[in-house]
Amino acid sequence: MTKDNPVKSIDELITHAGMMSLEHDEASIIEAIKSYDDILKTSDLSDDQRLSAKFGLAKAYQHRGDHNSALKTLDKISKFPKMSQMQHSMVNYLTAISYESLGYIDESCTLFDETIQQFKALDADPSIVAGTSLEAGKAFYSKGDRERACQLWEQ
């Protein structure tokens, strides 16, 4: 702990890095990525903390526009042995976002459809399904399937 970094626990470090990754300046996002990397080097992380930091890192990469690094991180997360079905669905959701950003529109649309069904089957919070539908609609609109995009946006 330093004067400049009063954060004490790993959970607080993860939260702090997450807040930095949401900033709109690249320096903050780069600092968040560095923080997540440092956190992940810590040997005494719980499984939940390690998973939370990896998800945060993937989202920070996405926020920076580095979707290839996000996909590599998401691939590592997908191999994590102790993940819930909801966490697997979140990996798919974030993967679909990166696919869309990289121009893999067909793959993105397929994955978004699968993810929406997974979230519904898991009885996920309606805001998660709605947010996923909004993102999916953008992908389908990019694909030229305006009818499907409108269906998703109207859900």
Side-chain angles (χ1 to χ4, degrees):
M1 179 174 84
T2 67
K3 183 175 80 171
D4 295 331
N5 186 7
V7 181
K8 298 174 187 159
S9 74
I10 294 293
D11 291 329
E12 289 172 325
L13 286 170
I14 292 169
T15 299
H16 182 70
M19 296 305 290
M20 283 191 309
S21 75
L22 295 175
E23 295 293 327
H24 294 286
D25 65 288
E26 188 167 4
S28 293
I29 298 168
I30 290 169
E31 183 63 28
I33 290 168
K34 182 185 176 312
S35 293
Y36 281 126
D37 283 337
D38 290 345
I39 290 165
L40 288 166
K41 291 175 187 168
T42 305
S43 61
D44 60 345
L45 293 177
S46 70
D47 288 341
D48 286 342
Q49 290 169 329
R50 186 167 305 284
L51 201 51
S52 181
K54 285 185 180 188
F55 269 114
L57 179 61
K59 289 188 265 185
Y61 281 135
Q62 285 180 328
H63 196 101
R64 186 168 186 226
D66 186 354
H67 291 279
N68 287 313
S69 293
L71 287 172
K72 288 177 188 173
T73 303
L74 291 164
D75 183 58
K76 290 176 186 176
I77 294 170
S78 72
K79 295 176 176 131
F80 198 79
K82 297 179 181 178
M83 279 201 339
S84 69
Q85 284 302 111
M86 181 62 78
Q87 290 165 326
H88 278 288
S89 296
M90 287 304 297
V91 168
N92 290 343
Y93 168 71
L94 294 171
T95 299
I97 289 172
S98 285
Y99 280 172
E100 178 188 6
S101 294
L102 290 170
Y104 304 122
I105 304 301
D106 288 337
E107 294 86 345
S108 176
C109 290
T110 299
L111 199 49
F112 271 127
D113 272 339
E114 290 172 10
T115 303
I116 290 168
Q117 293 309 312
Q118 290 167 354
F119 282 146
K120 287 179 179 179
L122 292 168
D123 222 7
D125 186 288
S127 65
I128 293 174
V129 177
T132 305
S133 295
L134 281 171
E135 290 292 331
K138 292 188 323 187
F140 278 94
Y141 192 85
S142 294
K143 183 179 177 179
D145 190 344
R146 285 158 181 71
E147 182 178 336
R148 178 69 176 126
C150 288
Q151 288 173 348
L152 289 160
W153 290 332
E154 291 171 358
Q155 289 185 10

